[in-house]
Amino acid sequence: MRKPTACEACRNRRRKCKILEGERDCTHCTARRIKCIQKPPVGGYYHQSALISESRLLENRLDAHNGIQEAENTYPPLALRLELVQLYFDYIHNQFHTLFHPPSFLASVAEDRVENVLLYPIFALSARFSTDPFFGGTAPSERGAAFISRGERLLQISRASLTTVQACVLLGAAYIADGDDVSENVYYGIACRMAQLLDLPNCVASNPLEREINIRVCWSLCMVDVWSSTAVKLPKLMPNLNIPLPMDELQYLALGSDMPLVSPGSDRSSPILAEMIKLNRILLDINDFNELCVQDHLEGVQLEDAIQQLSKRLDDWYEALPDIMRDTPENFAWFASHGLGRYFAAVYLGYYHFGQLLFYQFLHVEPYSSIPSAGLYAEKCKDHAARLCEMIYRAFETPNSDVLYTMVAHVLVIASTVQIHTLLFSSDEVRISVSRSRLERNFGILLHLKQYWSTLSRAMNRLRAFHDTCRKSMDTSFVLDRWMLRFLVEFAKEVEEKEPDVQSPLWTLAGLTQGLDL
């Protein structure tokens, strides 16, 4: 590949860069008395190569300081690096966040052209899924710590770049996987601010792939911001973006860096990530609505109007979907056959979870007896929870579509409490039997996830805390108060019972329905 010789100004105006003999600056910059920047274009091959060399030099210095044996013991060989990156794309990417173009990123890993500041946090997230003997003797949920620390040592937040933004998101994800929401929010905060400082979606791009990655990273930050900011009760950092939605997923995967630059077309309203973004906008308002309900004790017409508007937005989102994106077994099978089954499942885990969040308070019927539709909203909550469970079951039953990211545990715990509501209050034996079966299956899935994520102990303790609260007071268990709001949105934290009680026996599935008078 020929190294670019034009200065930055001449590249931007797409004109030949002329430098007279004996001069350092080109004629264009000299005439206009501007600084003549003669460096490779940011993000290009030579720029990336220079950054990788700089990063490796820093890492070698750190290794020399800390002892080379540590570096040799924690750095996987190439074959394993490729496996770990593939596992990351299988189980994390597009479900937790969207940061890369998988085909080109894997190719760059194979050619040793990816900075370790990205690879280490990727390994921290994906090593738990590997069966390679390299990790022998280390529990899957504990394999990430060494990679996180090495990634942090290489991070240079003074180097404002897309790579630094991506590294911060990865480190934030690695920390929340271990339940550290403080470090998560610090890294996400850096990523959000840096993306805005770089004006990432409007950066000059040399090809459609580069531009699409910038757009996807910005939208990913917007979605992550809603989840993480709500969980720690802080204002969100990303503004409302006026940029194109991501392009069709299959078209994106087919893009290559050597394709010519084209203007964005009508393809930018197509499925998966674009639909996930639209849905996430509704989540923001659902979170604000639930907070307002707790803070101002909404009731009567005010509550009815607000719930109707948000319910309609969820319905409108689904009705506007292209046929290929509807939740049907045939559509799921089609996406799974194209390697996108987990991605498709993630969209609907969001949709059904947002619905159960919106309608959850109506499971506690008494305060809303003056609202004619209270019973309908309670049924909607149960329907969303049931469909969420069924989507997870379908994902686990479909080859190469099982969903193992941490948020699955949180949404499944919430859906399980809706099943407990049926056990407590329904007189329909068929419903009771179905809910009991779902609880049993959900418990098995949570145990399966527990081997991979240390935070699953917290998720299961949350379900136990809710169960113990139900045992003590069925009448107040489903009230949307401050405790319940924390239970619904603070997915990384421990939640105590509403009222302290003596220590319950060891929690097992057999004890899940104990004391519920069934």
Side-chain angles (χ1 to χ4, degrees):
M1 181 182 293
R2 187 171 63 87
K3 189 173 183 178
T5 57
C7 73
E8 184 177 292
C10 292
R11 270 198 312 271
N12 290 338
R13 66 192 187 95
R14 298 182 181 276
R15 294 291 185 272
K16 187 175 181 181
C17 187
K18 300 178 181 178
I19 302 178
L20 299 177
E21 187 176 352
E23 297 292 332
R24 295 179 55 186
D25 296 346
C26 74
T27 55
H28 174 81
C29 293
T30 300
R32 286 157 182 78
R33 298 182 180 180
I34 60 176
K35 186 175 182 180
C36 190
I37 302 175
Q38 299 175 15
K39 293 181 179 179
V42 174
Y45 176 85
Y46 286 97
H47 179 251
Q48 290 292 337
S49 297
L51 292 178
I52 291 171
S53 298
E54 177 187 327
S55 178
R56 297 282 166 82
L57 180 61
L58 172 62
E59 187 172 8
N60 290 338
R61 289 172 180 168
L62 290 170
D63 288 339
H65 178 73
N66 293 288
I68 193 65
Q69 186 172 1
E70 177 196 354
E72 292 175 345
N73 290 340
T74 59
Y75 197 67
L78 178 59
L80 182 53
R81 295 201 297 274
L82 287 167
E83 177 197 320
L84 293 176
V85 172
Q86 185 61 63
L87 287 170
Y88 163 77
F89 283 126
D90 288 343
Y91 291 111
I92 304 297
H93 196 257
N94 290 338
Q95 299 161 74
F96 222 142
H97 49 239
T98 299
L99 301 174
F100 306 106
H101 179 249
S104 61
F105 191 87
L106 281 164
S108 295
V109 173
E111 296 168 4
D112 199 25
R113 291 195 294 107
V114 177
E115 293 185 59
N116 285 336
V117 72
L118 295 177
L119 289 179
Y120 282 131
I122 284 176
F123 298 161
L125 289 164
S126 64
R128 67 197 73 235
F129 304 118
S130 176
T131 58
D132 194 279
F134 183 88
F135 300 107
T138 305
S141 62
E142 298 174 0
R143 294 173 184 169
F147 292 124
I148 291 175
S149 62
R150 289 186 68 81
E152 283 186 311
R153 283 160 47 193
L154 295 178
L155 183 68
Q156 302 175 68
I157 59 174
S158 60
R159 194 185 94 188
S161 67
L162 173 63
T163 296
T164 304
V165 172
Q166 293 166 323
C168 286
V169 174
L170 289 166
L171 286 168
Y175 267 113
I176 197 60
D178 289 333
D180 185 347
D181 57 350
V182 174
S183 296
E184 174 216 24
N185 271 270
V186 169
Y187 279 118
Y188 285 165
I190 294 171
C192 289
R193 288 299 187 221
M194 189 171 291
Q196 292 175 70
L197 289 168
L198 291 169
D199 193 15
L200 203 54
N202 297 310
C203 284
V204 176
S206 59
N207 56 64
L209 177 57
E210 184 181 322
R211 183 172 190 273
E212 183 69 17
I213 291 173
N214 289 344
I215 287 172
R216 286 172 173 250
V217 169
C218 282
W219 280 122
S220 187
L221 288 172
C222 287
M223 291 192 290
V224 166
D225 190 25
V226 172
W227 282 93
S228 60
S229 297
T230 300
V232 294
K233 302 186 186 70
L234 289 175
K236 71 186 192 75
L237 295 170
M238 291 296 288
N240 295 324
L241 297 181
N242 183 25
I243 61 174
L245 289 170
M247 64 169 59
D248 174 83
E249 202 63 28
L250 292 177
Q251 181 181 357
Y252 173 60
L253 292 174
L255 275 179
S257 60
D258 57 346
M259 297 176 66
L261 185 64
V262 295
S263 300
S266 59
D267 60 325
R268 291 185 173 274
S269 60
S270 50
I272 312 192
L273 183 55
E275 297 300 339
M276 192 180 286
I277 290 164
K278 297 174 188 176
L279 195 55
N280 194 256
R281 293 166 177 167
I282 306 175
L283 171 62
L284 175 63
D285 292 334
I286 290 175
N287 286 338
D288 290 343
F289 167 72
N290 281 339
E291 176 66 35
L292 190 64
C293 286
V294 172
Q295 182 176 306
D296 293 352
H297 306 289
L298 294 187
E299 57 185 23
V301 175
Q302 191 177 13
L303 177 62
E304 179 86 18
D305 288 347
I307 199 78
Q308 283 182 353
Q309 291 175 20
L310 288 169
S311 178
K312 184 177 185 303
R313 287 179 62 188
L314 282 175
D315 293 342
D316 288 348
W317 174 85
Y318 188 82
E319 290 302 319
L321 288 174
D323 289 342
I324 190 63
M325 279 295 297
R326 299 297 177 90
D327 179 13
T328 67
E330 295 76 17
N331 284 346
F332 189 95
W334 187 88
F335 278 101
S337 70
H338 288 78
L340 300 172
R342 297 183 182 98
Y343 203 175
F344 183 85
V347 174
Y348 276 99
L349 292 189
Y351 173 63
Y352 293 132
H353 177 58
F354 302 166
Q356 66 182 4
L357 282 180
L358 176 61
F359 302 119
Y360 197 93
Q361 61 180 299
F362 292 96
L363 295 175
H364 182 64
V365 177
E366 185 179 353
Y368 310 119
S369 56
S370 62
I371 296 179
S373 303
L376 172 63
Y377 296 141
E379 287 303 313
K380 280 194 170 187
C381 181
K382 293 179 181 180
D383 182 62
H384 276 262
R387 291 178 184 274
L388 185 150
C389 293
E390 295 304 319
M391 176 57 72
I392 293 176
Y393 305 158
R394 188 185 301 162
F396 273 92
E397 291 166 357
T398 304
N400 302 316
S401 298
D402 51 334
V403 283
L404 302 180
Y405 61 107
T406 53
M407 193 58 70
V408 173
H410 174 67
V411 301
L412 197 58
V413 164
I414 304 302
S416 295
T417 66
V418 180
Q419 309 313 307
I420 291 176
H421 182 277
T422 299
L423 297 184
L424 286 170
F425 297 104
S426 178
S427 58
D428 186 325
E429 290 300 325
V430 174
R431 282 193 166 196
I432 290 173
S433 176
V434 170
S435 291
R436 196 189 302 274
S437 175
R438 285 192 187 120
L439 274 173
E440 183 174 346
R441 196 165 182 179
N442 294 354
F443 187 77
I445 291 172
L446 290 172
L447 286 178
H448 178 69
L449 293 172
K450 189 173 185 290
Q451 65 181 304
Y452 301 118
W453 306 100
S454 59
T455 51
L456 258 292
S457 296
R458 297 185 183 184
M460 298 181 78
N461 285 341
R462 292 161 71 85
L463 186 53
R464 171 182 174 176
F466 185 88
H467 168 244
D468 289 347
T469 298
C470 289
R471 291 172 56 199
K472 293 188 301 181
S473 176
M474 290 170 50
D475 294 335
T476 61
S477 299
F478 294 87
V479 175
L480 184 61
D481 53 14
R482 184 60 59 184
W483 182 91
M484 178 56 72
L485 192 60
R486 289 186 56 221
F487 180 83
L488 293 175
V489 302
E490 295 181 13
F491 52 88
K493 294 181 179 179
E494 297 278 7
V495 175
E496 71 287 351
E497 297 175 44
K498 281 192 177 182
E499 298 174 12
D501 198 4
V502 295
Q503 179 67 33
S504 302
L506 181 64
W507 186 53
T508 63
L509 179 62
L512 189 60
T513 56
Q514 180 181 357
L516 297 184
D517 194 25
L518 298 173

